Amino acid sequence: MTRPTRLPLKAARFLLLSGIVVPLIAGTASRAPEGTVVDGTLGDVRLITGDVLELEFSSPVLDDADAQATFAILIDGKEVEWKYLSYFAFGDYADRPVVNVRLKHALDIGQIRARCRENDANAEYDRTENTVGPRTASGIAVKAGNITRVPTWHSFYLERSQGYMSRFWTYASRKAGNGAAMSVLGDGLQDFGSDKYDFTDARQPKYTDEYVARMVGEGTNKLLGRAEYLSLPMIYAGYRALVVGPTQSVYEAPEYRELYKHGQTRDVFTRRMIKATEVPGNFNPATGKYLKPYIVGTAAAIMRHYAP
């Protein structure tokens, strides 16, 4: 009679453990951590770019798990994927804090008006976000508890400018201007002009958001001179300069809102710039490119004509 082959004890134990542990791991690895519903009241909701929403909420929401448990976002009646970015309760958000979230798929919000020195009439530069944006926002619904809000369209950026030789795009926020008579043109934008600045007081020059955007684009031209080919790799990589207002924080730029950590970030208004090269995990070695090839600066730093 042939005896059955027996595996050594160690091998048998290994297979047994493998058979139990592997399915156990496989069954739990993909399961997202369950969050806690945060008790609070949902206020106004704003769509500020094609993929970033500001949700006014009366209580802090500090991580993705709790955000997913607290809010639901629907487009045309169907739930969509999104992720938590941060919670703002500083500056202009101190009285009405917001939870920042990013949709997985960006929506069409039209285009922000723009100009390039040699071509003012090109259709590429027409402003359409003021009509397309509201229409897109109207198809979104945000739910928290028994409250449902439809976002309003409130573009974070209202001006963009393309350098004449560099071809770089610069985006300026709606608060990039300063001064009572020179400040944000807002939604009631007028025609482009070249007289929207006042340097009478060198210590505190006054300027509009449009002027700041053009200063960055034309300033880059002077930096590169006639060697515009130097800018081609940056253009191909998607480089963009982003300008926030003198009273804003660089963390308010929608592209980088996930960098702000409520209660931990200490340089909210002292940090002058966010560079793509300094953002952890922003570089993809497989492609040799930055995921977000953007630089954020403040209008005050750009327009610093007087430096003590």
Side-chain angles (χ1 to χ4, degrees):
M1 181 177 178
T2 305
R3 293 183 178 181
T5 302
R6 296 180 181 274
L7 292 173
L9 182 59
K10 290 183 178 179
R13 183 176 298 167
F14 173 77
L15 291 176
L16 178 63
L17 290 175
S18 297
I20 294 176
V21 174
V22 171
L24 192 61
I25 294 175
T28 58
S30 60
R31 185 181 301 167
E34 294 184 2
T36 302
V37 176
V38 178
D39 185 21
T41 302
L42 180 65
D44 292 340
V45 176
R46 294 176 290 274
L47 179 66
I48 62 172
T49 67
D51 61 349
V52 175
L53 286 155
E54 293 180 345
L55 319 179
E56 288 187 2
F57 201 63
S58 59
S59 301
V61 179
L62 304 180
D63 59 51
D64 187 73
D66 287 354
Q68 298 288 344
T70 304
F71 306 106
I73 301 178
L74 298 82
I75 297 179
D76 296 330
K78 297 180 180 179
E79 285 201 35
V80 296
E81 294 184 53
W82 53 275
K83 67 177 180 179
Y84 169 87
L85 299 177
S86 54
Y87 175 77
F88 283 179
F90 60 80
D92 291 339
Y93 299 98
D95 295 330
R96 304 181 75 174
V98 299
V99 177
N100 301 296
V101 303
R102 175 172 287 122
L103 301 173
K104 182 178 181 179
H105 301 292
L107 305 174
D108 179 17
I109 47 85
Q111 61 183 11
I112 300 161
R113 80 167 192 167
R115 76 179 308 175
C116 185
R117 193 168 68 191
E118 87 286 3
N119 194 349
D120 290 343
N122 193 319
E124 177 187 357
Y125 302 93
D126 288 347
R127 182 192 189 196
T128 61
E129 52 80 16
N130 58 324
T131 57
V132 179
R135 184 168 64 245
T136 298
S138 68
I140 305 172
V142 179
K143 294 183 177 182
N146 59 358
I147 297 177
T148 300
R149 303 287 189 196
V150 174
T152 56
W153 168 243
H154 191 72
S155 182
F156 185 84
Y157 300 108
L158 282 182
E159 299 283 353
R160 60 188 178 124
S161 179
Q162 188 177 39
Y164 176 59
M165 297 297 291
S166 69
R167 315 309 295 173
F168 289 150
W169 280 108
T170 299
Y171 283 62
S173 83
R174 64 170 56 236
K175 295 182 179 180
N178 72 346
M182 304 292 296
S183 65
V184 188
L185 299 176
D187 295 307
L189 292 171
Q190 306 298 317
D191 294 334
F192 285 111
S194 59
D195 58 347
K196 297 172 182 175
Y197 58 88
D198 180 2
F199 294 156
T200 304
D201 183 357
R203 292 173 178 264
Q204 183 55 69
K206 294 180 173 58
Y207 44 82
T208 61
D209 41 4
E210 174 200 338
Y211 187 79
V212 175
R214 287 194 290 123
M215 280 291 290
V216 175
E218 299 305 326
T220 307
N221 297 340
K222 293 179 175 60
L223 176 66
L224 296 175
R226 294 293 300 176
E228 57 266 24
Y229 66 88
L230 293 175
S231 67
L232 290 178
M234 298 177 70
I235 293 173
Y236 294 150
Y239 167 77
R240 185 184 301 171
L242 309 172
V243 182
V244 298
T247 62
Q248 291 181 298
S249 165
V250 290
Y251 292 104
E252 292 181 49
E255 292 79 358
Y256 287 124
R257 290 200 174 191
E258 65 272 19
L259 297 182
Y260 177 79
K261 307 298 179 186
H262 180 68
Q264 300 178 34
T265 302
R266 302 302 179 192
D267 58 352
V268 181
F269 290 109
T270 56
R271 185 172 184 173
R272 287 185 173 181
M273 186 176 292
I274 296 177
K275 301 177 183 178
T277 54
E278 298 175 350
V279 177
N282 195 29
F283 182 73
N284 185 347
T287 62
K289 295 182 178 181
Y290 289 94
L291 302 176
K292 297 181 180 181
Y294 315 129
I295 293 179
V296 184
T298 67
I302 293 169
M303 302 299 293
R304 228 170 358 129
H305 285 239
Y306 173 81

